[in-house]
Amino acid sequence: MGLSHAVPTAATVCVIGAGLSGLATAHALAARGIDFACLEKSPDVGGIWRRPGAGERGPAYASLHLNTAKQLTGYSDFPMPDELPLYPRHSDVAAYLRAFAEWAGLLPRIELRTEVVSVRQDADGGWTVVSRDAHGEVTERRFEHVIVASGHNTVAALPDSLPPGSGSFAGTILHSMDYGDGSDFAGQRVVVVGMGASGVDIATDLSRHAEQTVLSVRRGLHIVPKQLFGMSVDLIADASWFNDMPFDERRHFVEQALFVARGKLSDYGLPEPDHPVFSSAVTISDEILSRIRHGGVIPRPAIASLDGSTVTFTDGTTVEADAIVYCTGFRMAFPFLPAGCPADPRQGAVELYKRVVAPDRPGLHFVGLIRPVGSITRLVEAQAQWVARIVDGDVALPSADVMRKEISTYLSGIEERYGRSEGSSIQVDVGPYLRELRELQDA
């Protein structure tokens, strides 16, 4: 490893991450002529959409496609190409993000293969960022602001305890982050655990290659097709006629539309959700219910135990399996930040003013640390533009007490609707949150 050394920098802002959120942030800063350095630990821009190279881990499995319409997922200043389908595959999205970085002139300011090791606040209110490049050389730089835009799909989340007998399982146990292509499991018997986005995607993909694909589901989630009434669901959610409805009417409309489109989930052998729509994350999929009806995917409840190659479920049924793929999501991790920061997972809920500003850490901001039902791009662009105004001195933030009060009010509403947890605390409704951000822009 190279020796640590300090490098003077004229940049006032350090942007961490060059995925969708980091590029939007860099573009907003560049548009205002603000000096910045963007640090990205991967070999290229693109974040989770870039297919991992040899030796890398990452969630961009081969069958990954957008779940949101390209019109709402592309940047406002640089729309996705007309020739792309409505829901492009991951490689198309990765190529689009790189094309955006080139078009916006951002690449000279992005330091690839540069991992942020630590971020600490100095006595004078500035920030010291320590990074390490591909050669192991450690660099220390000072900035006035740090914008964390590295996303929250970072650390693979396995169950707190694997089922009894996991140590005796004769096959392979892996997380979706390490899943590449269904063809890797040709002729095998595979159990997929989890019914979130990656779970249904991977089960669907496997069903075309594996000898047998079982989907193990502990808790029911609402499965929403990508399209209703011939329209992409996020375009419906963006329509004024939908947003003008009171919340209860919107919920009723969606529940009725889902019943017409697919009937009851219990008719497919899946557990019914124990909560109404919009009270938890939904799963977007056009294919999983069809694959179940065609026998390509077999639904089962949670795994009770493992014994050699035998998987026993909580209903007493068993299957023989060669592999288990845990599609149990990700945990937020910002190991480079000081303990006690607002996005520290050990605190449970993420506590950020307007989901962006750390009230007790002046100069520390987050872009993209949100979980919308729908496309995140417009929200990220609005967050980035607001942060750029803060950095530029056009926006005066309220006192820390006022910011903490706003956070408390927001989290109380979240707890009433979703429960209070790390994941639920970053949930936002696209329409209302976008209006809120635009009002901040106009203030």
Side-chain angles (χ1 to χ4, degrees), residues 17-18 22-23 26 36-40 42 44-45 98 101-102 105-114:
L23 294 177
F36 67 91
C38 181
L39 311 184
E40 168 57 56
S42 298
D44 203 353
V45 303
R98 181 163 183 88
E102 293 173 350
L106 303 177
L107 293 178
R109 307 305 300 271
I110 298 173
E111 300 176 29
L112 300 173
R113 302 179 188 271
T114 302

Side-chain angles (χ1 to χ4, degrees), residues 217-241:
V217 180
R218 177 181 60 85
R219 179 190 181 217
L221 293 176
H222 291 280
I223 296 178
V224 178
K226 290 185 179 182
Q227 298 187 84
L228 289 169
F229 310 109
M231 294 178 61
S232 182
V233 290
D234 51 337
L235 290 174
I236 292 175
D238 190 55
S240 58
W241 60 264

